[in-house]
Amino acid sequence: MRNGIMVALALYAGFCGIDAYAMDLSLNDAIQKIVAESHDLKKADANLKKAQASLDVANSARWFNVEGTATYMNLINVEKPFDSYNVKLPPEIGGLVPQMAGITNIEVPDNIFMAGVTVTQPIYTFGKIGNAVDSVRSAIKMSEFSKEMVSREVKYAAADMYWTAKMTDEIVKIAKKDLNNARDAKRNIAVAGRANRGNLVKIESDIATKEINLSDAEFNRDTAHRMLKILAGIDVDEPLNLTDEFPDSFPEMTVKKLADTPEWQVLDQQVKMYESKASSQRANGYPTLAAVGSYNYVTMDKDFKNTFNENGTQSAYLGLALKVPIFSGGVNRANATVDAMNAEAARQDLDKSKKITAEKYRNAIQQYNHLRDNLDGLENARNLAAKAYNFSRERFAAGQTSAVELADVSSGLYQLDMALLNAKYKILMSQESVKKLGE
């Protein structure tokens, strides 16, 4: 019983032109899959993570810096390299210092080991570090908004690919119907028994032309489906059933004030980034105040084996250091000017983008409404063409008209079917353009 039901369903699906084992794919599913597979979005995400890592680099300048050093030295007696290092004291020095009276020669330990740690903590940099951090934060926001721009572009391209593939499905149906109409006309001639040679030649010519149209339509459909599957990460051998249909009606749109778009936000953050970089460059010419601390350990001996003994000396200090740049050849001022001019250029780009994008948004809504208003007239023309074709087909079957007239009327119906389908596609893509610019 179950096998019988499955066979019946398969026969019904084949009769309706649907692959019973095809993968159902809606518009939303297609968009989600293409977004998940998008290489451009993955690159945008990598750029965002890179910008976030740059913030850690910039913030690291706020914190203390610790440096450790360890040094071993062996002093060499230049005059006698293989002898111990001796210092000869002038007689007058030996006479001045009671402890050195009568001493004219001192043996200096020539094995010296030094180890130490130095800590530096910036206290005030006149905005050098703070502005550098602010510029990186602006760069992060730029990456976030850039990713949103890419996401909108990918979603628009996904919708375009889906509706293009769906349109090729509908074109195949229209081409099949047009071919079947021509074949029906040929059968009517045979049934009526009035095989006029001129009518037969004309109908055979129409059938050959419409077979080519159908073959082209099927090729375009297969190509569009294959591209859709590649972008969505679906096996190219997996048959698809696009479940969303072209709408019969479309709601009217009104022009609203365009909110900040991702493109505007990117340019706005770019202005802020360059302004912060310019301030940071200027601060490079100002003093830097830092707290410093150091600990050092020194030990020495004339014998290398006894160098690392417990007779070493230790020293430490804490203090403040003021580093004042005196002359840098004007590099700080020049770099600040470069960044300030970059900020001005970005500001001009932002002003231009606001004007152009607002106009694109308004034109997209106007185009949508214009195409929408023409849709009723186009549907009416198509319905009239269908009636005209039915009248011509009945007259042709009754022998009251020629195959030439029937072919002309059939061609007119075919063209209007295509025009109506194309109009709906353009309306949908105008709607997607509005979403891309202003959602």
Side-chain angles (χ1 to χ4, degrees), residues 11-74:
L11 290 174
Y12 175 76
F15 177 76
C16 294
I18 300 174
D19 191 333
Y21 301 100
M23 173 183 177
D24 289 341
L25 187 68
S26 67
L27 174 62
N28 288 335
D29 290 341
I31 291 175
Q32 290 177 6
K33 288 179 179 294
I34 291 175
V35 165
E37 292 290 325
S38 173
H39 296 287
D40 291 334
L41 267 175
K42 291 176 182 177
K43 286 170 58 179
D45 188 59
N47 289 333
L48 175 58
K49 292 178 180 178
K50 181 173 69 174
Q52 290 170 341
S54 298
L55 181 61
D56 294 335
V57 175
N59 272 320
S60 65
R62 296 181 183 272
W63 312 117
F64 58 86
N65 179 266
V66 182
E67 291 183 349
T69 59
T71 305
Y72 167 77
M73 294 183 296
N74 179 261

Coordinates of all heavy atoms in Angstrom, one line a residue, residues 11-74:
L11 N 4.3 9.9 -9.8 CA 3.6 10.1 -11.1 C 3.0 11.5 -11.1 O 3.0 12.3 -12.1 CB 2.5 9.1 -11.3 CG 3.0 7.7 -11.6 CD1 1.8 6.7 -11.7 CD2 3.7 7.7 -13.0
Y12 N 2.4 12.0 -9.9 CA 1.8 13.3 -9.8 C 2.9 14.4 -10.0 O 2.7 15.4 -10.7 CB 1.1 13.4 -8.5 CG 0.5 14.8 -8.3 CD1 -0.6 15.3 -8.9 CD2 1.2 15.7 -7.4 CE1 -1.1 16.6 -8.7 CE2 0.7 17.0 -7.2 CZ -0.4 17.4 -7.9 OH -0.9 18.7 -7.7
A13 N 4.0 14.1 -9.3 CA 5.1 15.1 -9.4 C 5.6 15.2 -10.8 O 5.9 16.3 -11.3 CB 6.2 14.7 -8.5
G14 N 5.7 14.0 -11.5 CA 6.2 14.1 -12.9 C 5.2 14.8 -13.8 O 5.6 15.5 -14.7
F15 N 3.9 14.6 -13.5 CA 2.9 15.2 -14.4 C 3.0 16.7 -14.2 O 2.8 17.5 -15.1 CB 1.5 14.7 -14.0 CG 0.4 15.4 -14.7 CD1 0.1 15.0 -16.0 CD2 -0.4 16.3 -14.1 CE1 -0.9 15.7 -16.7 CE2 -1.4 17.0 -14.7 CZ -1.7 16.6 -16.0
C16 N 3.3 17.2 -12.9 CA 3.3 18.6 -12.7 C 4.7 19.2 -13.0 O 4.9 20.4 -12.8 CB 3.1 18.9 -11.2 SG 1.4 18.4 -10.7
G17 N 5.6 18.5 -13.5 CA 6.9 19.0 -13.9 C 7.8 19.2 -12.7 O 8.7 20.1 -12.7
I18 N 7.6 18.5 -11.6 CA 8.4 18.7 -10.3 C 9.2 17.4 -10.1 O 8.7 16.3 -10.2 CB 7.5 19.0 -9.1 CG1 6.7 20.3 -9.4 CG2 8.3 19.1 -7.9 CD1 5.6 20.6 -8.3
D19 N 10.4 17.6 -9.7 CA 11.3 16.5 -9.4 C 10.9 16.1 -7.9 O 11.1 16.9 -7.0 CB 12.8 16.9 -9.4 CG 13.7 15.6 -9.3 OD1 13.2 14.7 -8.7 OD2 14.8 15.7 -9.9
A20 N 10.4 14.9 -7.8 CA 9.9 14.4 -6.4 C 11.1 14.4 -5.4 O 10.8 14.4 -4.2 CB 9.3 13.1 -6.5
Y21 N 12.3 14.2 -5.9 CA 13.4 14.1 -5.0 C 14.3 15.4 -5.0 O 15.4 15.4 -4.5 CB 14.3 12.9 -5.4 CG 13.5 11.6 -5.5 CD1 13.0 11.1 -6.7 CD2 13.3 10.9 -4.3 CE1 12.3 9.9 -6.7 CE2 12.6 9.7 -4.3 CZ 12.1 9.2 -5.5 OH 11.4 8.0 -5.5
A22 N 13.7 16.5 -5.5 CA 14.5 17.7 -5.5 C 14.5 18.3 -4.1 O 13.6 18.1 -3.3 CB 13.8 18.7 -6.5
M23 N 15.5 19.1 -3.9 CA 15.7 19.8 -2.6 C 14.9 21.1 -2.7 O 15.1 21.9 -3.6 CB 17.2 20.2 -2.4 CG 17.5 21.0 -1.2 SD 19.2 21.4 -1.1 CE 19.2 22.5 0.3
D24 N 14.0 21.3 -1.7 CA 13.2 22.5 -1.6 C 14.1 23.7 -1.1 O 14.8 23.5 -0.1 CB 12.0 22.4 -0.7 CG 10.9 21.5 -1.3 OD1 10.9 21.3 -2.5 OD2 10.1 21.0 -0.5
L25 N 14.0 24.8 -1.8 CA 14.9 25.9 -1.4 C 14.1 27.2 -1.5 O 13.6 27.6 -2.6 CB 16.1 26.0 -2.3 CG 17.2 27.1 -1.9 CD1 17.8 26.7 -0.6 CD2 18.2 27.3 -3.0
S26 N 13.8 27.9 -0.3 CA 13.1 29.1 -0.3 C 14.1 30.3 -0.5 O 15.4 30.1 -0.4 CB 12.4 29.3 1.0 OG 13.3 29.4 2.1
L27 N 13.6 31.5 -0.7 CA 14.5 32.6 -0.8 C 15.3 32.9 0.5 O 16.5 33.1 0.4 CB 13.6 33.9 -1.1 CG 14.4 35.2 -1.1 CD1 15.4 35.2 -2.2 CD2 13.4 36.4 -1.3
N28 N 14.6 32.8 1.6 CA 15.3 33.0 2.9 C 16.4 32.0 3.1 O 17.5 32.3 3.6 CB 14.4 33.0 4.1 CG 13.5 34.3 4.1 OD1 13.9 35.3 3.6 ND2 12.3 34.2 4.7
D29 N 16.1 30.7 2.8 CA 17.1 29.7 3.0 C 18.3 29.9 2.0 O 19.5 29.7 2.4 CB 16.5 28.3 2.7 CG 15.5 27.9 3.7 OD1 15.6 28.4 4.9 OD2 14.7 27.0 3.5
A30 N 18.0 30.3 0.8 CA 19.1 30.6 -0.1 C 20.0 31.7 0.3 O 21.2 31.6 0.3 CB 18.5 30.9 -1.5
I31 N 19.4 32.8 0.9 CA 20.2 33.9 1.4 C 21.0 33.5 2.5 O 22.2 33.8 2.6 CB 19.2 35.1 1.8 CG1 18.6 35.7 0.5 CG2 20.0 36.1 2.5 CD1 17.6 36.7 0.8
Q32 N 20.5 32.7 3.5 CA 21.2 32.3 4.6 C 22.4 31.4 4.2 O 23.5 31.5 4.7 CB 20.3 31.5 5.6 CG 19.3 32.4 6.3 CD 18.4 31.6 7.2 OE1 18.5 30.4 7.4 NE2 17.4 32.3 7.8
K33 N 22.2 30.5 3.3 CA 23.3 29.6 2.8 C 24.4 30.4 2.1 O 25.5 30.1 2.3 CB 22.7 28.5 1.9 CG 21.8 27.5 2.6 CD 21.3 26.4 1.6 CE 20.5 25.4 2.3 NZ 21.3 24.5 3.2
I34 N 24.0 31.3 1.2 CA 25.0 32.1 0.5 C 25.7 33.0 1.4 O 27.0 33.2 1.3 CB 24.3 32.9 -0.6 CG1 23.7 31.9 -1.7 CG2 25.2 33.9 -1.3 CD1 22.9 32.6 -2.8
V35 N 25.1 33.6 2.4 CA 25.8 34.4 3.4 C 26.8 33.6 4.2 O 27.9 34.0 4.4 CB 24.8 35.1 4.4 CG1 25.5 35.6 5.6 CG2 24.0 36.2 3.7
A36 N 26.4 32.3 4.6 CA 27.3 31.5 5.3 C 28.5 31.0 4.5 O 29.6 30.8 5.0 CB 26.5 30.2 5.8
E37 N 28.3 30.9 3.1 CA 29.4 30.5 2.3 C 30.2 31.6 1.7 O 31.3 31.4 1.1 CB 28.8 29.7 1.1 CG 28.2 28.4 1.5 CD 29.2 27.3 1.9 OE1 30.3 27.3 1.4 OE2 28.9 26.5 2.8
S38 N 29.8 32.9 1.9 CA 30.4 34.0 1.3 C 31.9 34.2 1.7 O 32.2 34.4 2.9 CB 29.7 35.3 1.6 OG 30.3 36.4 1.1
H39 N 32.8 34.2 0.7 CA 34.2 34.4 1.0 C 34.4 35.9 1.3 O 35.3 36.2 2.1 CB 35.0 34.1 -0.3 CG 35.0 32.6 -0.6 ND1 35.6 31.7 0.2 CD2 34.4 31.9 -1.6 CE1 35.4 30.5 -0.4 NE2 34.7 30.6 -1.4
D40 N 33.6 36.8 0.7 CA 33.8 38.2 1.0 C 33.5 38.5 2.5 O 34.1 39.3 3.1 CB 32.9 39.1 0.1 CG 33.3 39.0 -1.3 OD1 34.6 38.8 -1.6 OD2 32.5 39.2 -2.2
L41 N 32.4 37.9 3.0 CA 32.1 38.1 4.4 C 33.1 37.5 5.3 O 33.4 38.0 6.4 CB 30.7 37.4 4.7 CG 29.5 38.4 4.6 CD1 28.2 37.6 4.8 CD2 29.6 39.5 5.6
K42 N 33.7 36.3 5.0 CA 34.8 35.8 5.8 C 36.0 36.7 5.8 O 36.7 36.8 6.8 CB 35.1 34.4 5.2 CG 34.0 33.3 5.4 CD 34.4 32.0 4.8 CE 33.2 31.0 5.0 NZ 33.5 29.7 4.3
K43 N 36.3 37.3 4.7 CA 37.4 38.2 4.6 C 37.1 39.5 5.5 O 38.0 40.0 6.2 CB 37.7 38.7 3.2 CG 38.3 37.6 2.3 CD 38.4 38.0 0.9 CE 39.0 39.3 0.6 NZ 39.1 39.7 -0.8
A44 N 35.8 39.9 5.4 CA 35.5 41.1 6.3 C 35.5 40.8 7.7 O 36.0 41.6 8.6 CB 34.0 41.5 5.9
D45 N 35.2 39.5 8.1 CA 35.3 39.1 9.5 C 36.8 39.0 9.9 O 37.1 39.4 11.1 CB 34.6 37.7 9.7 CG 34.5 37.3 11.1 OD1 33.9 38.1 11.9 OD2 35.0 36.3 11.5
A46 N 37.6 38.6 9.0 CA 39.1 38.5 9.4 C 39.6 39.9 9.5 O 40.4 40.2 10.4 CB 39.8 37.8 8.2
N47 N 39.2 40.9 8.7 CA 39.6 42.2 8.9 C 39.2 42.8 10.2 O 39.9 43.6 10.8 CB 39.1 43.1 7.7 CG 39.8 42.8 6.4 OD1 41.0 42.3 6.4 ND2 39.1 43.0 5.3
L48 N 38.0 42.5 10.6 CA 37.5 43.0 11.9 C 38.3 42.4 13.0 O 38.7 43.2 14.0 CB 36.0 42.6 12.1 CG 35.4 42.9 13.4 CD1 35.4 44.4 13.7 CD2 33.9 42.4 13.4
K49 N 38.6 41.1 13.0 CA 39.5 40.5 14.1 C 40.9 41.2 14.1 O 41.5 41.3 15.1 CB 39.5 39.0 13.9 CG 38.2 38.3 14.1 CD 38.3 36.8 13.9 CE 36.9 36.2 14.1 NZ 37.0 34.7 13.9
K50 N 41.4 41.5 12.9 CA 42.7 42.1 12.8 C 42.7 43.5 13.4 O 43.6 43.8 14.2 CB 43.1 42.2 11.3 CG 44.5 42.8 11.1 CD 44.9 42.7 9.7 CE 44.1 43.6 8.8 NZ 44.6 43.6 7.4
A51 N 41.6 44.2 13.2 CA 41.5 45.6 13.8 C 41.4 45.5 15.3 O 41.9 46.3 16.0 CB 40.3 46.3 13.2
Q52 N 40.6 44.4 15.8 CA 40.5 44.3 17.2 C 41.8 43.9 17.9 O 42.1 44.3 19.0 CB 39.5 43.2 17.5 CG 38.0 43.6 17.2 CD 37.0 42.5 17.2 OE1 37.4 41.3 17.1 NE2 35.8 42.8 17.3
A53 N 42.6 43.1 17.1 CA 44.0 42.8 17.7 C 44.9 44.0 17.7 O 45.7 44.2 18.6 CB 44.6 41.7 16.8
S54 N 44.7 45.0 16.7 CA 45.5 46.2 16.7 C 45.1 47.1 17.9 O 46.0 47.8 18.4 CB 45.2 47.0 15.4 OG 45.5 46.2 14.3
L55 N 43.9 46.9 18.5 CA 43.6 47.7 19.7 C 44.4 47.2 20.9 O 44.9 48.0 21.7 CB 42.1 47.6 20.0 CG 41.6 48.3 21.2 CD1 41.8 49.8 21.0 CD2 40.1 48.0 21.5
D56 N 44.6 45.9 21.0 CA 45.5 45.4 22.0 C 46.9 46.0 21.9 O 47.6 46.3 22.9 CB 45.5 43.9 22.0 CG 44.2 43.3 22.3 OD1 43.4 43.9 23.0 OD2 43.9 42.1 21.9
V57 N 47.4 46.1 20.7 CA 48.7 46.6 20.4 C 48.8 48.1 20.9 O 49.7 48.5 21.6 CB 49.1 46.5 18.9 CG1 50.4 47.2 18.7 CG2 49.2 45.1 18.5
A58 N 47.8 48.9 20.5 CA 47.7 50.3 20.9 C 47.6 50.5 22.4 O 48.3 51.3 23.0 CB 46.6 51.0 20.2
N59 N 46.8 49.6 23.1 CA 46.6 49.7 24.5 C 47.8 49.3 25.3 O 48.0 49.7 26.5 CB 45.4 48.9 24.9 CG 44.1 49.6 24.9 OD1 44.0 50.8 25.2 ND2 43.0 49.0 24.4
S60 N 48.7 48.5 24.7 CA 49.8 48.0 25.4 C 50.8 49.1 25.8 O 51.6 49.0 26.7 CB 50.6 46.9 24.6 OG 51.1 47.6 23.4
A61 N 50.7 50.2 25.0 CA 51.6 51.4 25.3 C 51.2 52.1 26.6 O 51.9 52.8 27.2 CB 51.6 52.4 24.2
R62 N 50.0 51.8 27.1 CA 49.5 52.4 28.4 C 50.2 51.7 29.6 O 50.3 52.3 30.7 CB 48.0 52.2 28.6 CG 47.2 53.0 27.5 CD 45.7 52.7 27.8 NE 44.8 53.3 26.9 CZ 44.4 54.6 26.9 NH1 44.7 55.4 27.9 NH2 43.5 55.0 26.0
W63 N 50.6 50.5 29.5 CA 51.0 49.7 30.6 C 52.5 49.8 30.8 O 53.3 50.2 29.9 CB 50.5 48.3 30.5 CG 49.1 48.2 30.1 CD1 48.6 47.7 29.0 CD2 48.0 48.7 30.9 NE1 47.2 47.8 29.0 CE2 46.8 48.4 30.2 CE3 47.9 49.3 32.1 CZ2 45.6 48.8 30.6 CZ3 46.6 49.7 32.6 CH2 45.5 49.4 31.8
F64 N 53.0 49.3 32.0 CA 54.4 49.4 32.3 C 55.2 48.4 31.4 O 54.7 47.4 31.0 CB 54.6 49.0 33.8 CG 54.1 47.7 34.2 CD1 54.9 46.6 34.1 CD2 52.8 47.6 34.8 CE1 54.4 45.3 34.5 CE2 52.4 46.4 35.2 CZ 53.1 45.2 35.0
N65 N 56.4 48.7 31.2 CA 57.3 47.9 30.4 C 58.5 47.4 31.3 O 59.1 48.2 32.0 CB 57.9 48.8 29.3 CG 58.8 48.0 28.4 OD1 60.0 48.0 28.6 ND2 58.3 47.3 27.4
V66 N 58.7 46.1 31.3 CA 59.8 45.5 32.1 C 60.8 45.0 31.2 O 60.6 44.2 30.2 CB 59.2 44.4 33.0 CG1 60.3 43.8 33.8 CG2 58.0 44.9 33.8
E67 N 62.1 45.3 31.5 CA 63.2 44.8 30.7 C 64.2 44.2 31.7 O 64.6 44.9 32.7 CB 63.9 46.0 29.9 CG 63.0 46.5 28.8 CD 63.7 47.5 28.0 OE1 64.8 48.0 28.4 OE2 63.3 47.9 26.9
G68 N 64.7 43.1 31.3 CA 65.7 42.4 32.1 C 67.0 42.3 31.3 O 67.0 42.0 30.1
T69 N 68.2 42.5 32.0 CA 69.5 42.3 31.3 C 70.4 41.5 32.2 O 70.3 41.5 33.4 CB 70.1 43.7 31.1 OG1 70.3 44.4 32.3 CG2 69.3 44.6 30.2
A70 N 71.3 40.7 31.5 CA 72.3 40.0 32.2 C 73.6 40.0 31.3 O 73.5 39.8 30.1 CB 71.9 38.5 32.4
T71 N 74.7 40.4 31.9 CA 75.9 40.7 31.2 C 77.1 40.1 31.9 O 77.2 40.2 33.1 CB 76.1 42.2 31.0 OG1 75.0 42.8 30.4 CG2 77.4 42.4 30.1
Y72 N 77.9 39.4 31.1 CA 79.2 38.9 31.7 C 80.3 39.6 30.9 O 80.3 39.6 29.6 CB 79.3 37.4 31.6 CG 80.7 36.9 31.8 CD1 81.3 36.8 33.1 CD2 81.6 36.5 30.7 CE1 82.6 36.4 33.3 CE2 82.9 36.1 31.0 CZ 83.4 36.1 32.3 OH 84.7 35.7 32.5
M73 N 81.4 40.1 31.6 CA 82.5 40.7 30.9 C 83.8 40.2 31.5 O 83.9 39.9 32.7 CB 82.4 42.3 31.1 CG 81.2 42.9 30.5 SD 81.3 44.7 30.7 CE 81.1 44.9 32.5
N74 N 84.8 40.2 30.7 CA 86.1 39.8 31.1 C 87.1 40.9 30.6 O 87.2 41.2 29.4 CB 86.6 38.5 30.4 CG 88.0 38.1 30.9 OD1 88.9 38.3 30.1 ND2 88.1 37.5 32.0

